[in-house]
Amino acid sequence: MEQQELTLTEKLVCINRVAKVVKGGKRLRFSALVVAGDGNGKVGAGLGKAGEVAQAIQKAGTSAKKNLTAVSLEGDTIPHEITAKFGAARVLLKPAAAGTGIIAGGAARAVLECVGVKNVSCKSLGSSNPVNLVRATILALDGLRIPGEGVTEPKASLDAKE
């Protein structure tokens, strides 16, 4: 595929320690959330789980590179305001003037930096779960459309009765 041609940057968003209680005690495992992007309109997120932190990060990075999605950008900002929801996490993205920078929290900031947006304002309105915030932010970026661009069908349609 074109993964080898792209120079992707990876950002580690969070690491969770998960304990499974068994008869002999607790079995510890780790999950890692990584966001990958080329800084020019492509971004993806991946979740990896393993017995060691380094292996979990590596698995998450591989998963993020496989799940890249293209984003419509207008210069160094987004073309219009958009809200997206994933689980209980809601994200509001607004375009900002040049020189504003990225105004966003940790999980959403990682996604916006990897996609290459320079000026944007972002607000998390629901849950603060990093996994759901990253997915909601990517969903919002995926819903952006530039006027005059070909209209494409959304990935999931709510009123599909086929």
Side-chain angles (χ1 to χ4, degrees), residues 119-133:
N119 301 301
V120 69
S121 179
C122 176
K123 178 66 181 161
S124 168
L125 300 170
S127 168
S128 61
N129 181 352
V131 177
N132 287 347
L133 275 177

Side-chain angles (χ1 to χ4, degrees), residues 40-43 69-73 78 115 117 138 140-142 144:
N40 199 19
K42 289 194 187 295
V43 69
T69 181
V71 176
S72 299
L73 298 178
I78 59 176
V115 79
V117 177
I138 291 176
L141 290 171
D142 194 41
L144 292 173

Side-chain angles (χ1 to χ4, degrees), residues 13-72:
V13 178
C14 72
I15 298 174
N16 287 329
R17 188 182 79 173
V18 182
K20 177 181 178 183
V21 180
V22 293
K23 185 178 178 183
K26 294 180 182 176
R27 291 221 176 122
L28 298 177
R29 290 176 56 90
F30 297 92
S31 71
L33 177 64
V34 172
V35 176
D38 67 347
N40 199 19
K42 289 194 187 295
V43 69
L47 189 64
K49 300 174 185 178
E52 295 180 13
V53 176
Q55 289 176 343
I57 293 171
Q58 182 182 12
K59 285 183 180 181
T62 304
S63 176
K65 290 175 187 175
K66 288 180 184 176
N67 299 323
L68 290 177
T69 181
V71 176
S72 299

Side-chain angles (χ1 to χ4, degrees), residues 43-115:
V43 69
L47 189 64
K49 300 174 185 178
E52 295 180 13
V53 176
Q55 289 176 343
I57 293 171
Q58 182 182 12
K59 285 183 180 181
T62 304
S63 176
K65 290 175 187 175
K66 288 180 184 176
N67 299 323
L68 290 177
T69 181
V71 176
S72 299
L73 298 178
E74 196 170 76
D76 60 354
T77 188
I78 59 176
H80 56 84
E81 183 178 319
I82 191 164
T83 305
K85 181 176 178 181
F86 187 90
R90 284 181 48 216
V91 171
L92 170 67
L93 296 175
K94 288 184 177 183
T100 304
I102 298 175
I103 301 173
R109 174 180 286 274
V111 175
L112 294 169
E113 286 176 352
C114 282
V115 79

